[in-house]
Amino acid sequence: MSAVEIRELVKSYGRNGPLILKSLNLSIRPGEFTVLVGPSGCGKTTLLRLIAGLEEVTAGEIRMHGKVVNDLPPAGRDIGMVFQDYALYPHMSVRQNLSFGLQQRDLPKAEIEARIAEAAGLLGLTEFLERKPAQLSGGQRQRVAIGRALVKRPKIFLFDEPLSNLDAQLRSRTRVEIADLHRRFKSTSIYVTHDQVEAMTLADQIVLMERGRIRQVGTPEQVYERPANRFVAGFIGTPGMNFLEGEVVESKEGATGFRFHGMGERSAQTIRFALGEAPRGMTQADGRAVIGLRAEKIMMAEPSRGDIVARVSLLEPHGHETHVLAEVAPGLTWTLRVTGRVSLSAGDLIGLRFKRNDVHWFAADEEGERIDFDFLPTPKREISPPSVTYH
Ligand SMILES: Nc1ncnc2c1ncn2[C@@H]1O[C@H](COP(=O)(O)OP(=O)(O)OP(=O)(O)O)[C@@H](O)[C@H]1O
Ligand SMILES: [Mg+2]
């Protein structure tokens, strides 16, 4: 049985307000760590608040452990919520902040003391129990907010960007703590973040939302390696996937050409795919498609040896690697990742090479769904690393 089951969930504010959530379906297994990601305003917080019972459902159903909870108040749902802004009581000590929710539940005093001691120990807060929130650092306050959810021992944890106020170091330390807590308590967790590292490292399953819709649910590997559509492919990954729209032409023998207007001397370029290396039947639709390539799957070569000719527009040193931004078509920039430093300059022409197996295919329409097909490799086309590299 799912810990949380969401069916055809719809939310709008006010009677004729726009649809903020558009018929969501989602299933979360007990003990699973689910991460919600998506652009600002896509409905992540709204979804959490509906699950918590802080907002009313417009249509559809929320079930917890099999029971419909649509009309249950937050206190009846056995959840602990950690907000981005901590929402601590400023006039109470850390100890009082931690015990507040428990006193309301009429737990025995000794039990409350024991839970506070355990949570404080786990979160490194023991020495701060008598302090007020204002006397704590941001990271300590954040841990109090997590502790307050923890002492309730809820079946389900909801986190809304809990680490976004922390500096980079504290953020990664607290991320590890959250992962540890989850390993120990195995509570079902739903976690909203803008941080891809958090999403990829913490999640059992990632839910990608766009404008009130769920565009893919999958493991971190699935959403990275087999994105269901262009939105997911572009959103996941730093940088996101590189895209190129073009016209698909097929020969009688089954080879496919992907034509686009590129850079270089001949602006009309064609990327050749042998039989089995590209989806078939594309020309029966309108003949257009979008190909996608991850930055790390693209190799640089001399312009004459590339699958695509591109013009370097910017170099971004990241220390351990350099991002090379290059124009592959007028106004269309791709990002490549090169280990170490490169001696290229803006304006240089370079060739880009890639294995046909690394190409993702998407529909050219607005939905941009992934086009799946059985890739049949033709050994002679295997590409070895380019003979010329730039240093
Ligand atoms: N009380 C409200 N009344 C009307 N509209 C609202 C209300 N709360 C949120 N919205 C709208 O609902 C949409 C989704 O908001 P939500 O806060 O869920 O986004 P989010 O994905 O959490 O974004 P962010 O990443 O910026 O936190 C937004 O367009 C927002 O303006
Ligand atoms: Mg939000």
Side-chain angles (χ1 to χ4, degrees):
M1 191 192 299
S2 300
V4 180
E5 181 84 31
I6 285 159
R7 294 189 190 159
E8 315 281 316
L9 185 67
V10 174
K11 176 65 184 173
S12 64
Y13 291 98
R15 209 175 276 174
N16 292 316
L19 292 182
I20 305 296
L21 299 180
K22 302 166 186 166
S23 195
L24 303 191
N25 288 289
L26 180 64
S27 176
I28 295 168
R29 286 185 293 269
E32 198 165 41
F33 202 110
T34 297
V35 174
L36 300 181
V37 296
S40 185
C42 71
K44 304 177 296 292
T45 297
T46 304
L47 177 55
L48 274 199
R49 289 176 61 82
L50 284 163
I51 295 171
L54 299 169
E55 295 286 348
E56 213 173 306
V57 166
T58 304
E61 228 173 56
I62 301 175
R63 288 171 183 260
M64 287 179 182
H65 305 100
K67 216 175 79 185
V68 178
V69 298
N70 285 31
D71 297 322
L72 265 189
R77 296 194 183 195
D78 204 0
I79 47 161
M81 188 149 176
V82 182
F83 297 95
Q84 174 178 356
D85 60 1
Y86 325 131
L88 301 178
Y89 300 108
H91 57 287
M92 292 185 190
S93 68
V94 170
R95 183 188 297 284
Q96 288 165 329
N97 265 285
L98 291 176
S99 66
F100 186 73
L102 300 181
Q103 281 160 353
Q104 285 184 322
R105 286 195 194 176
D106 282 338
L107 278 176
K109 215 165 170 212
E111 172 69 18
I112 295 179
E113 292 301 320
R115 288 194 191 185
I116 290 176
E118 189 197 6
L122 272 173
L123 295 165
L125 292 169
T126 310
E127 57 187 300
F128 308 117
L129 281 173
E130 308 315 324
R131 291 208 199 162
K132 298 268 169 64
Q135 299 165 310
L136 299 175
S137 74
Q140 291 157 349
R141 270 180 242 170
Q142 191 59 71
R143 278 180 276 155
V144 178
I146 295 172
R148 199 172 43 177
L150 205 62
V151 291
K152 290 188 356 198
R153 309 230 170 120
K155 281 220 181 77
I156 298 165
F157 273 105
L158 304 177
F159 296 93
D160 195 357
E161 303 195 47
L163 309 185
S164 52
N165 290 337
L166 308 184
D167 69 41
Q169 263 189 3
L170 202 50
R171 212 180 157 120
S172 58
R173 270 217 322 267
T174 317
R175 186 182 77 224
V176 173
E177 274 168 22
I178 289 179
D180 261 0
L181 287 173
H182 183 248
R183 259 194 297 279
R184 288 176 68 142
F185 291 100
K186 290 270 172 288
S187 7
T188 309
S189 305
I190 309 176
Y191 188 103
V192 172
T193 183
H194 272 110
D195 185 310
Q196 298 237 357
V197 179
E198 281 174 30
M200 298 300 268
T201 56
L202 289 172
D204 295 315
Q205 72 171 356
I206 298 188
V207 177
L208 280 112
M209 293 180 63
E210 184 194 26
R211 281 182 270 140
R213 294 165 62 203
I214 291 178
R215 298 303 309 275
Q216 186 170 8
V217 179
T219 62
E221 294 73 29
Q222 284 165 345
V223 300
Y224 190 78
E225 279 159 25
R226 297 186 66 77
N229 47 62
R230 249 163 39 220
F231 166 75
V232 172
F235 192 84
I236 291 285
T238 318
M241 192 177 278
N242 296 302
F243 298 115
L244 179 62
E245 183 174 343
E247 186 193 354
V248 179
V249 285
E250 286 171 8
S251 75
K252 280 204 192 75
E253 294 73 36
T256 299
F258 184 84
R259 263 195 216 140
F260 67 99
H261 285 280
M263 312 293 289
E265 286 160 31
R266 292 169 300 114
S267 68
Q269 294 186 29
T270 302
I271 305 170
R272 293 178 195 291
F273 293 82
L275 175 66
E277 293 181 340
R280 299 287 296 155
M282 302 284 298
T283 45
Q284 283 148 29
D286 66 350
R288 298 200 70 76
V290 172
I291 59 168
L293 275 157
R294 291 271 176 220
E296 65 272 19
K297 298 292 189 189
I298 303 168
M299 296 169 281
M300 284 198 289
E302 285 178 71
S304 62
R305 292 174 51 87
D307 293 305
I308 296 179
V309 177
R311 179 173 283 126
V312 174
S313 49
L314 190 71
L315 300 172
E316 282 183 344
H318 283 245
H320 63 300
E321 64 182 20
T322 303
H323 289 187
V324 178
L325 277 63
E327 221 181 350
V328 299
L332 177 70
T333 299
W334 277 17
T335 305
L336 333 173
R337 286 164 68 173
V338 182
T339 309
R341 303 175 71 81
V342 285
S343 60
L344 288 170
S345 320
D348 287 355
L349 282 186
I350 52 174
L352 307 182
R353 289 161 65 106
F354 44 84
K355 291 185 184 166
R356 300 301 185 261
N357 200 9
D358 288 327
V359 177
H360 301 251
W361 291 79
F362 302 99
D365 62 7
E366 205 179 316
E367 290 293 296
E369 294 298 325
R370 178 186 194 83
I371 300 164
D372 264 319
F373 69 102
D374 290 324
F375 185 89
L376 302 169
T378 40
K380 63 181 184 335
R381 278 203 68 84
E382 272 298 310
I383 291 175
S384 49
S387 56
V388 176
T389 46
Y390 294 80
H391 295 286

